[in-house]
Amino acid sequence: MTGIESAPVPRTAADVLQPVRSALLLWDLQNGLGGQAPGLPELSAAWRRLRDAARASGVLIVRSRHVAARPDLMNAVERWRISRRTHGENRPGHYMQPGGHDSAFIPGFEPQPDELVIDKSAPSLFHDTEADTRLRARGIRTLVLAGVATDIGIDFTARHAMALGYFAVVAEDAVGGYTAAAHEHAMAILRPSAFVAPSDEIISCWSACQAAASGG
């Protein structure tokens, strides 16, 4: 025995959703990615609710922005992955190039000046980016994930976050895949390994914490 008590092990998403220690990640809300998802109106409504609640509760909002390399600088795997896309642009010379329509944010979801925007070219927020440094600078320990696609960037980033010591909370009604089968397969894998909760529950937790902190 060292005499040092360990922190309690969280049992539910509510245990790790303190606003000051949480960040909301809105993943790939760009025309060529999130904008291609089936059920976009329903997903957009959930994204707006989470974004507005995060802002009201003082939760850091993080935005991923996928920017592909120039075609002559892409490696073989990148070119192969792009060519296999069945949604949106699948030509390396046009896919997610800076300044293009695909890489622009979905109208109504453009980042605000106080949001943290992370540029990346792989399906993880943390691969070869400054995300970990910036989140730790803010004392973040929980990443709430929303966006597209569940079976690609959401799954990769949730697992990468947990490997780095963050809790991952997947907003189950605010993530989607390009097919229902891919989405459901990813959710079946994520449920036992990450916290999964509906957006309303996440928002309620933030609101309750904020009210308690302000003496309400």
Side-chain angles (χ1 to χ4, degrees), residues 17 23-27 29 47 50 62 123-126 142-150 152-162 166-176 187 190 194-199 202 206:
L17 283 170
L24 170 65
L25 171 60
L26 295 174
W27 180 262
L29 304 193
W47 299 336
L50 283 166
V62 182
S124 170
L125 186 73
F126 299 100
T142 299
L143 200 61
V144 177
L145 296 98
V148 176
T150 318
I152 309 175
I154 297 294
D155 181 42
F156 272 61
T157 297
R159 293 176 180 282
H160 203 163
M162 290 185 288
Y166 297 93
F167 292 109
V169 180
V170 178
E172 61 183 342
D173 56 325
V175 293
M187 291 302 297
L190 284 166
F195 290 113
V196 175
S199 296
I202 295 167
W206 286 340

Side-chain angles (χ1 to χ4, degrees), residues 76-127:
V77 173
E78 289 175 302
R79 296 174 68 88
W80 174 78
R81 287 182 57 243
I82 293 167
S83 71
R84 288 172 58 86
R85 283 168 52 92
T86 58
H87 53 276
E89 181 59 69
N90 65 357
R91 294 172 295 170
H94 297 78
Y95 170 73
M96 302 304 289
Q97 293 297 302
H101 175 75
D102 270 10
S103 61
F105 285 98
I106 298 168
F109 289 100
E110 298 85 356
Q112 297 302 302
D114 61 345
E115 297 176 5
L116 172 61
V117 179
I118 300 293
D119 287 338
K120 49 86 176 178
S121 58
S124 170
L125 186 73
F126 299 100
H127 177 71

